[in-house]
Each structure stands twice: as structure tokens, then as C-alpha cells.
Amino acid sequence: MDVSPILDPLNPAQREAVSAAGGNVLVLAGAGSGKTRVLVHRIAWLLQVEQLQPWSVLAVTFTNKAAREMRARIEEMLAQPVGGMWVGTFHGLAHRFLRAHWQDAGLPQQFQILDSDDQFRLIRRLLKTLALDEARWPPRQVQGYINKRKDEGLRAAHLDDGGDFFEQQMIRIYCEYEETCTRGGVLDFAELLLRAHELLRERPDIQHHYRTRFRALLVDEFQDTNAIQYAWLRLLSGDHNNLFLVGDDDQSIYGWRGAKVENIQSFQRDYPNTQVVRLEQNYRSTGTILAAANALIANNPTRLGKELWTEDGAGDPVRLYAAFNEIDEARFVAERVRQGCAESGLRRSECAILYRTTAQSRLFEEALMQLGLPYRVYGGQKFFERAEIKDALAYLRLLAHPEDDAACERVLNVPPRGIGARTVERLRHEAREARCSLWHALNQALVGNLLPARATGALRQFVELITRLREARDQPTLADLTLQVIEASGLPAHYEKAKDGRGIDRLENLEQLVEAARRFEAELHDEEADPLGSFLAHAALEAGDTQADGHEDVVQLMTLHSAKGLEFPLVFVTGVEEGLFPHSLSVDDASRLEEERRLCYVGMTRAMRQLYLTYAETRRLHGREEAPMPSRFLRELPAELVEDVRAHRRGKRAGLGRASAPMAAAGGFRLGDQVVHPKFGRGVVLNSEGTGSSARIQVNFEAVGSKWLVLAYARLERAE
Ligand code: ATP
Ligand code: MG
């Protein structure tokens, strides 16, 4: 058997991990040391050398995209397909498990996933029904409370208020929330994990089945698992000693979302016979970038401690740019990206601009647009999160399961059919009193003739629509079904009339949804019994996926959090200022400050060849002009590794202020330009987005108001 494709591309420590004979293995190593590579090669080793069947391997990745890549890499190495392997995120795998055992888990067959936006809306409605004031019980806080408890494995029934009024109310809300979700057959993200854990814990037969089936369990980014995920892994593994975990305590960045870096220590305690492998050679970054990152992270007092080295040369210094303000920062970064592409031959997709908060992306977008550099923002609103798409999906969900309150409320009056707020309020009340779904309550209201004539007529229309759609479910394909539902729902006509000028956009998106359904179905396995259910789950789970896919050659913009695991030749870590990074919410808390520093370490270690750190001396933040201090993280970098690229002194830089020349829009037009359209007449350019053939421009027309137009088709001309 030729194992050279598996072992040759590895160093001795990596080989040791990949070929470890039995027993649990923990690979504990710093950034860029090949942990993910080791995990992939380990799977190939298990399949080829240990002769495991693909279906007896379960691997957890950070995103669905990483899962697809992993599978492709293994297939390439082994030159054979590895279908049947369970590879995905914790949420994706828990979902798959629950789909297979919906009855055992006490779920309706058509159970749906509630994404965090849906969850938030549901909580708001619940607070209203319970007559709780949002100002005192902020829905975000309630959402956080519930998710945190679930991540710790706690249900409302497990909680004790200890006589505390606040706790008592929270538990009451949690309790109502659980009931509403159960009635609607919906599961939030945290519930997927909790339910999967409970099912495995309480059913020895199922436990036995999976323990026998999965001969190997592998986890990437183990430092960011939470309590319930770790508990689930332990249950799956039992005493089979078949865990292979890779992680880096210095890169734990999801503590704020319940991840427990202590799991690394707990693991070594819970499984004392674990073989620990350390990888110390970094293959990603230059010596200088690595030394700077090492120096930064050394300031964290609570770490397991490890050093990284590289055979690579020192390379360029880390470059620091002190911008005059945030606009200057954006222009500087865009200009350096342009240079990198033009002079160093980088592809655009090899350049990444990283920031702490999503709000920072806009100025980088404008600056890139001005230079005609196409880009993509990751982690922004994804396709499946757009309002019109969620409306259409809500209809599809009702088709699958009309008791789904979240979906029902979403489209009860979208498009408007005369179901007013008072009627909705009343139905909600009825549903709550009768402890039934909204769908049930509204049917009851119709039977009992409980509502005024107008409302009754409108409701009847809605019920007839949903019933008709449900009866017509047997469409030959998912795409046909989606198309039929969209057309019957009246959404296209509704959006066409929309006053926000984005009607055409939204119609196109609805068409894209049909296309997405077609593509999804084409990739489905034949045995899939419920294509609609899987499609809806796919929409909910993929919506959370916020990482770059790197296929298009565009500049990559993303938050530091979503850059985890990735690497780019040229990286900008921006906004490195006190209050922004470290974030103001974290500076007073030692452990959160450490997490911010780890985030900075993650950002810096994404860079392969060149790393820029930038900050602004003044920044408009939350509507106010601030003069932030440079981040403390900058002081923690050895001066000899950092080069200050600031060329001018403050004051000399004319034209960098806010009252500078108008920003370019697309197609040679500038914001504020007077234009003429053959049909709509005269107008003024307000905004633009995208580049090339997808560039769109917003114009405020004198005759018809504001409209978004696809530039390539708009036949706009400059007004004389
Ligand atoms: P992170 O902590 O950021 O997730 P990681 O430890 O998972 O990083 P990888 O992404 O697996 O590291 O590897 C970093 C880079 O180094 C990749 O480009 C990988 O292909 C390369 N690499 C890893 N090991 C070797 C090796 N033995 N020889 C050559 N290149 C390697
Ligand atoms: Mg990795």
C-alpha cells in the first residue's frame, strides 16, 4: 500500500499524529502549524491504512465550506469518492442526526430551524404577549440568556430562581419560549445541539448504534467548542478512545458565545491516556510576522504556552499606518491593495482586509470601488437572510408545517391583505389562551366567527391560500414547487410595487431562490425522502456561514472572527485602536481583554507574506468624532519588527478631510452627478454598489423618485 501521498507532505511531528496507533490524540499547536492539514491527512490514513469505511468517520469543521473542502482534499489524495462520511459543523451534524431520529427526539417530521433573526422576532412577540416591557426586558438579553442556558445543557425546568425576581422572570420567559417552539415544531441553533445531546444521553440503543458505527471522531478548532458540544462528543465516543482533536488555546475567540477553552484541559483530565502532539513549525508566515504575533500573545497570562518557529526568512517588516482619519485609512488600504496586485502580481483574492466590527466595512468598500477593485464582504447579509427570501421561505415552511408560528406571523399580512395589527394581537392572545398554534387559532376564529367581517374575509383568503398550496405539494421538482409557491403567494407583485426602489433586485432574488432550489436538488442524494425539508434546513444552516469562498478573484473583506482558519499573502488588520480593538466592552474585564488579544493574534497570523496594521487618529464612531488612542496591542509588538509607513505629518495632508472630493460612483459617474435616463428622465446619482457587469447605481429621478438600476442596461447619460 502506497502511503506516500498521505505522509510525504508532512514533517515528523505531523506524521506522528497522522499515523498514531489507536487511542485519543490531541494536537495542540499554534497558528499555521498544519493542524487542519494533519486532520485531513489523518482521515485519509484511517480510510486507506486502517481500512475504515467512510460512513464510520465523523469530522467536525468550523464551517460548511470547510467541510466541502476537506472532503475534496481527501478524495484527491485517495483518488476515490468518500461519500457517506459525516463531515460538517456541529450544528449541521446535530441536524442530520435529529432528521434521522425525529420521532425518537419527539419532533414533528417537518421540524424547522429558527435562525437567530427569527429567534429574536419570536422572543419579541412573546414579550408582548406576556405584557413585559421591552425596555426592562430587552429581547437581545433574553435571547442571550436562553441560548447561554441551552449551551450549558440547561432547560427552563432545571433552573432555580433562588428567590431572585430577575431570574424568576427570565425563567418564565424561557419556559414560554420552549413551549412556543415545541408547538411550532421549530428548533433554534442552540436547541439543535441540546436536543441531539439529550437524545443520545437518554437512549442507550441509539447511543450504542452510533458508538459502534463511528470508529473515528475528529474535530478541528477544538478550542472553540462549548459545553454541550463537548458533552455530545463524549457521549458519541464512550470509552472507545477514538477522538482526534486539533486546536490552539491561543486562538479561542468565541468565549463570548459560550465556547470553553478549558475543554482542552478537561479533555486531558477526562482522558488521561491521550497522546498529545505538539507542532511547532509554522509554514504560513514570514519570520517577522510570526515573531510579532508570538510577542503579542506572550502578553496573555493564562495560556498553555508554546512557541512557533519558521524556516522561512524574515521577510518584510510588519507595516504600521497611522491614518489621519477613517477615510484616509480606507484609502490607504485600498491603494496598497491596488499596488499589491499591480506591482507584486497578487491576485485580488489573495488580499484580505480584516476589521473588528461589521460597520467598518463600508468605507473600505467605497475606497475599493473608487479604484475599480472588485471585492466581496463576507459575514454581511447572506442570500438566505434577505427579507424577500425569508418571506418566500416562510411560505414554504408553512407548506411543510402550518403550525410554525414564526413563519405564520411573518407572512400573515405579507403581501398586505388587510389583516391588521389588532387582529394579529387578538389571534396571538387566543393562541396563548388555548396553548395552540397561531394557525390553529386563526382557523378556530373563522369557525367560531369571532372576528369582524373584514378581518374574517382577509383571514379566510390566507387560509385558503395556504391550504391550496399544501394540496398542490406534489410538484415534480423542488424548483417547480418553489416557483409555484412564489407565484401564488403574491410576493412578486408586492415587491414590484415596493417604494424603496429595490423592487427589481428583490424580484431577481426571488428568481434566484428558484435557481437555488434547482441546484440544491441536483446535488441531493437519491435516498433523500424529504427534499423540501432538507432545502429549508440548508437555507437556515448556510445562512450562518460567513466565510470567504475564494473562487471569485475579488478582494476579501471580513471580520476578524470569520477569518479563522484562513490564510492570505497580504493582510490588513484595521482599526487597531483602544475602544475598537480591544473593543470598549472588553477593556475592563481581564478575561475578555485576553480574548481580544487572541483575536488580534488570529488576525496577524492569517498573513503569509505581508502584514499591515492600521489605525486612525480620529474616527467618526456612533455618530461622534472621536480621537482614539492607538491600541495597546501595538505597544506589545517589538519595535524592531515594525516599520512606520506614515509618510506625512498631520496637517500636511490636504484633501484627506471629510469635505473632500465627492466619491466616485460606478461607470464614471460621481455621487451627486446630474444624469438623464431615456425613460425616467432627469435625476441625481445617490449611491452605487458592485462593480463590472453587476454594478448598480441609485438615481433620484425628478419624475419617478429614487430607483436602483443595473448600470450596464440603464443607458444613463450625463445631463448637459
Ligand atoms: P490555523 O491555526 O490558522 O487553523 P493550522 O494549524 O490549521 O492553522 P494549516 O492551515 O493546516 O495550519 O496549515 C498552514 C499552511 O501551512 C497551509 O498552507 C498548509 O498547506 C501549510 N503546511 C502545513 N504543513 C506543511 C508541511 N509539512 N509542509 C509544507 N506546508 C505545510
Ligand atoms: Mg486550521
Side-chain angles (χ1 to χ4, degrees):
M1 188 185 326
D2 181 14
V3 293
S4 52
I6 303 180
L7 294 184
D8 283 1
L10 302 175
N11 67 29
Q14 292 174 330
R15 274 181 211 168
E16 180 194 337
V18 166
S19 60
N24 297 316
V25 178
L26 172 65
V27 179
L28 191 58
S33 58
K35 293 183 298 299
T36 303
R37 179 183 277 217
V38 161
L39 190 97
V40 172
H41 286 238
R42 172 69 175 180
I43 298 176
W45 175 271
L46 292 170
L47 299 178
Q48 191 163 44
V49 180
E50 312 253 327
Q51 299 280 308
L52 297 195
Q53 293 301 321
W55 45 260
S56 62
V57 173
L58 179 144
V60 185
T61 53
F62 173 54
T63 61
N64 294 308
K65 189 193 122 236
R68 285 192 291 274
E69 277 177 10
M70 199 169 268
R71 194 187 289 271
R73 283 287 317 283
I74 297 166
E75 291 184 344
E76 189 188 327
M77 225 180 308
L78 301 182
Q80 67 181 59
V82 290
M85 207 159 65
W86 279 38
V87 192
T89 60
F90 272 112
H91 289 111
L93 295 170
H95 172 255
R96 186 166 176 173
F97 175 69
L98 292 174
R99 276 270 172 241
H101 297 282
W102 56 273
Q103 267 167 322
D104 303 311
L107 293 167
Q109 186 173 10
Q110 312 286 0
F111 75 85
Q112 300 296 320
I113 302 172
L114 205 60
D115 68 19
S116 56
D117 175 52
D118 290 337
Q119 184 188 32
F120 177 75
R121 285 163 179 252
L122 194 141
I123 288 171
R124 278 188 85 168
R125 285 197 301 271
L126 207 64
L127 291 173
K128 216 167 186 176
T129 335
L130 295 175
L132 290 171
D133 181 5
E134 272 194 24
R136 266 200 83 193
W137 308 97
R140 283 265 169 252
Q141 193 180 350
V142 174
Q143 186 176 20
Y145 177 93
I146 293 175
N147 290 343
K148 186 156 185 285
R149 298 302 172 288
K150 287 192 180 189
D151 283 344
E152 287 165 0
L154 298 170
R155 296 214 168 270
H158 299 139
L159 298 171
D160 176 12
D161 61 31
D164 180 75
F165 176 69
F166 174 84
E167 200 64 22
Q168 191 187 3
Q169 286 299 322
M170 281 294 189
I171 296 173
R172 177 171 156 233
I173 304 170
Y174 185 7
C175 203
E176 289 283 339
Y177 172 81
E178 277 184 322
E179 209 168 289
T180 312
C181 289
T182 307
R183 214 165 39 230
V186 291
L187 275 67
D188 59 50
F189 288 145
E191 181 75 24
L192 285 172
L193 302 173
L194 179 55
R195 195 67 77 105
H197 175 253
E198 287 172 345
L199 180 59
L200 207 56
R201 189 185 59 201
E202 274 141 39
R203 288 288 297 270
D205 52 333
I206 297 179
Q207 205 182 80
H208 177 75
H209 170 81
Y210 282 96
R211 281 187 186 173
T212 319
R213 170 187 175 154
F214 289 127
R215 307 268 309 277
L217 307 169
L218 305 97
V219 185
D220 197 1
E221 308 273 6
F222 178 62
Q223 76 280 357
D224 276 328
T225 46
N226 67 25
I228 200 81
Q229 291 164 340
Y230 180 52
W232 189 64
L233 278 177
R234 293 197 64 184
L235 279 178
L236 267 183
S237 168
D239 54 7
H240 288 220
N241 291 325
N242 54 355
L243 290 160
F244 189 94
L245 313 178
V246 315
D248 177 6
D249 58 309
D250 288 334
Q251 294 188 70
S252 151
I253 52 175
Y254 282 100
W256 56 284
R257 229 166 56 180
K260 290 207 173 346
V261 64
E262 307 87 275
N263 283 342
I264 296 183
Q265 282 102 324
S266 315
F267 180 66
Q268 297 180 72
R269 249 196 328 273
D270 296 338
Y271 300 90
N273 54 352
T274 293
Q275 179 180 351
V276 180
V277 179
R278 291 176 194 270
L279 309 175
E280 288 176 341
Q281 181 170 3
N282 170 293
Y283 290 91
R284 179 179 292 148
S285 311
T286 62
T288 302
I289 292 171
L290 199 60
N294 280 343
L296 174 87
I297 201 67
N299 290 281
N300 267 4
T302 57
R303 52 192 295 254
L304 300 176
K306 53 189 143 23
E307 279 291 318
L308 279 176
W309 60 276
T310 173
E311 273 178 357
D312 207 34
D316 292 342
V318 174
R319 299 208 168 88
L320 178 66
Y321 183 68
F324 174 67
N325 60 23
E326 75 278 17
I327 297 175
D328 178 32
E329 180 189 44
R331 286 183 190 176
F332 171 81
V333 169
E335 179 52 33
R336 291 286 160 137
V337 169
R338 194 196 58 75
Q339 270 177 24
C341 297
E343 292 162 21
S344 317
L346 287 177
R347 295 188 335 126
R348 290 188 286 263
S349 57
E350 292 178 321
C351 311
I353 305 174
L354 312 179
Y355 36 79
R356 178 68 182 86
T357 61
T358 47
Q360 285 164 262
S361 77
R362 194 181 58 83
L363 288 171
F364 293 112
E365 293 183 62
E366 282 180 14
L368 290 166
M369 211 146 55
Q370 203 164 19
L371 296 184
L373 287 168
Y375 60 85
R376 174 133 183 226
V377 183
Y378 296 91
Q381 201 181 34
K382 305 286 283 187
F383 178 72
F384 286 115
E385 290 169 358
R386 290 165 202 256
E388 61 277 15
I389 298 302
K390 293 197 76 166
D391 288 345
L393 290 173
Y395 276 101
L396 285 166
R397 276 164 58 169
L398 287 177
L399 223 67
H401 189 60
E403 317 271 308
D404 182 339
D405 279 1
C408 192
E409 277 225 21
R410 181 162 189 113
V411 292
L412 196 52
N413 202 33
V414 177
R417 57 189 119 236
I419 302 177
R422 292 254 306 276
T423 309
V424 177
E425 200 59 61
R426 168 112 192 245
L427 292 171
R428 239 188 243 144
H429 179 77
E430 299 287 338
R432 192 174 129 66
E433 289 292 297
R435 303 228 156 255
C436 67
S437 69
L438 212 56
W439 174 254
H440 189 77
L442 67 88
N443 276 290
Q444 287 304 109
L446 286 179
V447 174
N449 227 346
L450 303 176
L451 296 165
R454 208 174 103 79
T456 303
L459 277 184
R460 185 153 285 137
Q461 236 185 4
F462 179 72
V463 171
E464 277 166 10
L465 171 64
I466 302 298
T467 314
R468 210 167 55 236
L469 287 174
R470 280 176 64 77
E471 282 165 3
R473 266 172 69 178
D474 299 326
Q475 293 292 322
T477 70
L478 192 58
D480 290 335
L481 178 65
T482 309
L483 179 64
Q484 198 208 5
V485 167
I486 290 176
E487 282 177 351
S489 69
L491 287 173
H494 166 60
Y495 281 122
E496 207 163 12
K497 281 184 293 194
K499 297 251 177 344
D500 60 1
R502 309 206 66 153
I504 298 174
D505 256 21
R506 295 181 190 266
L507 291 187
E508 278 174 11
N509 284 338
L510 289 173
E511 281 165 20
Q512 279 302 313
L513 182 64
V514 178
E515 202 37 52
R518 197 184 317 280
R519 255 180 288 126
F520 180 79
E521 197 163 38
E523 286 175 11
L524 270 185
H525 300 296
D526 292 340
E527 74 269 21
E528 183 53 69
D530 175 21
L532 176 59
S534 340
F535 180 56
L536 292 171
H538 164 78
L541 290 169
E542 290 282 318
D545 228 11
T546 53
Q547 266 202 328
D549 59 22
H551 291 311
E552 309 160 278
D553 186 22
V554 294
V555 183
Q556 314 279 304
L557 272 69
M558 68 195 85
T559 62
L560 287 144
H561 278 101
S562 47
K564 185 160 108 153
L566 305 177
E567 59 190 18
F568 307 91
L570 172 59
V571 168
F572 298 85
V573 177
T574 64
V576 192
E577 296 146 29
E578 283 295 301
L580 189 56
F581 194 25
H583 199 274
S584 52
L585 294 174
S586 305
V587 287
D588 296 329
D589 176 328
S591 74
R592 293 178 75 163
L593 183 62
E594 282 190 45
E595 182 152 315
E596 292 283 311
R597 192 177 280 109
R598 290 195 292 267
L599 189 58
C600 190
Y601 175 77
V602 168
M604 292 173 69
T605 53
R606 298 310 94 200
M608 299 162 77
R609 315 240 56 90
Q610 292 193 350
L611 171 64
Y612 282 86
L613 304 171
T614 64
Y615 66 91
E617 291 180 338
T618 61
R619 179 179 295 275
R620 187 164 277 281
L621 205 63
H622 315 303
R624 265 199 333 228
E625 179 100 8
E626 316 228 344
M629 300 277 289
S631 171
R632 68 191 74 193
F633 300 152
L634 296 174
R635 287 200 302 278
E636 295 169 1
L637 305 177
E640 66 277 13
L641 302 178
V642 182
E643 178 186 277
D644 195 344
V645 291
R646 177 169 172 163
H648 314 276
R649 292 312 319 157
R650 194 199 291 228
K652 283 199 189 153
R653 304 188 205 185
L656 291 179
R658 286 198 178 70
S660 55
M663 288 284 208
F669 294 107
R670 290 181 158 261
L671 306 189
D673 275 0
Q674 297 270 347
V675 290
V676 186
H677 183 271
K679 186 163 152 213
F680 304 128
R682 287 178 77 91
V684 178
V685 176
L686 291 186
N687 201 350
S688 76
E689 63 174 34
T691 51
S693 61
S694 63
R696 276 190 290 245
I697 192 159
Q698 188 186 23
V699 180
N700 190 15
F701 291 104
E702 287 166 13
V704 292
S706 147
K707 280 196 179 301
W708 278 94
L709 305 167
V710 176
L711 194 60
Y713 305 117
R715 286 179 288 144
L716 276 185
E717 285 183 70
R718 213 175 292 278
E720 294 309 318

